[in-house]
Amino acid sequence: MDKIPADAMVVVADGESARVFRNVGADGALSLQQQELVTAQNVDDDGPSGSAPTEQSPQQTDEATFAKQLAHRLNHGALTNAYAHLVLVADPQTLGQMRPQLHKETLQRMHGELAKTFTNSPVHDIERALS
């Protein structure tokens, strides 16, 4: 992955939560600072995008719902200019559920993505994976 621009938003997610970072590094250095922890909200009221397979467990449904909620949140951020560059790090399942729901404006701001689970990893491990 190319160098991540200063002030880029880096979202590290799985099916249950997301850690939102900003790159506060200068001169092309990567230095992530956590800004927020996002968790699923009202998953019973919201539901996943599209129809769920009948064999899908309630936990899988909740994870798909969170992926949809996170995609919508990123779309809102792109449409309101909350970030100029986005790096998305998520487990393959969550990443696959989010991709079709990302707005074209969000996709244009995507600097890169990484299909790995790093939600509970220390910041230096995330930085190393992105460098």
Side-chain angles (χ1 to χ4, degrees):
M1 182 176 310
D2 293 335
K3 288 190 184 265
I4 298 173
D7 201 41
M9 187 164 74
V10 178
V11 177
V12 180
D14 61 20
E16 297 176 359
S17 66
R19 294 166 66 191
V20 179
F21 298 90
R22 285 287 182 165
N23 179 17
V24 296
D27 299 325
L30 181 61
S31 179
L32 298 179
Q33 183 176 68
Q34 186 165 332
Q35 305 288 303
E36 183 177 10
L37 176 64
V38 180
T39 57
Q41 302 293 315
N42 303 319
V43 291
D44 292 335
D45 297 337
D46 197 0
S49 180
S51 59
T54 55
E55 67 277 357
Q56 190 170 25
S57 73
Q59 180 180 351
Q60 289 171 317
T61 300
D62 289 350
E63 289 174 357
T65 302
F66 178 68
K68 178 186 84 171
Q69 290 175 346
L70 184 56
H72 289 184
R73 182 185 185 109
L74 294 175
N75 291 340
H76 178 74
L79 294 170
T80 59
N81 290 314
Y83 61 88
H85 302 282
L86 172 67
V87 176
L88 186 55
V89 180
D91 65 278
Q93 178 77 19
T94 301
L95 197 56
Q97 291 169 330
M98 290 179 67
R99 271 192 205 112
Q101 299 183 60
L102 294 175
H103 190 276
K104 68 178 184 176
E105 187 64 33
T106 306
L107 294 172
Q108 289 175 347
R109 293 165 189 254
M110 286 280 283
H111 184 77
E113 64 180 43
L114 180 62
K116 296 276 185 185
T117 304
F118 278 108
T119 312
N120 296 317
S121 297
V123 174
H124 68 272
D125 287 350
I126 298 168
E127 290 171 342
R128 190 172 354 165
L130 294 174
S131 295

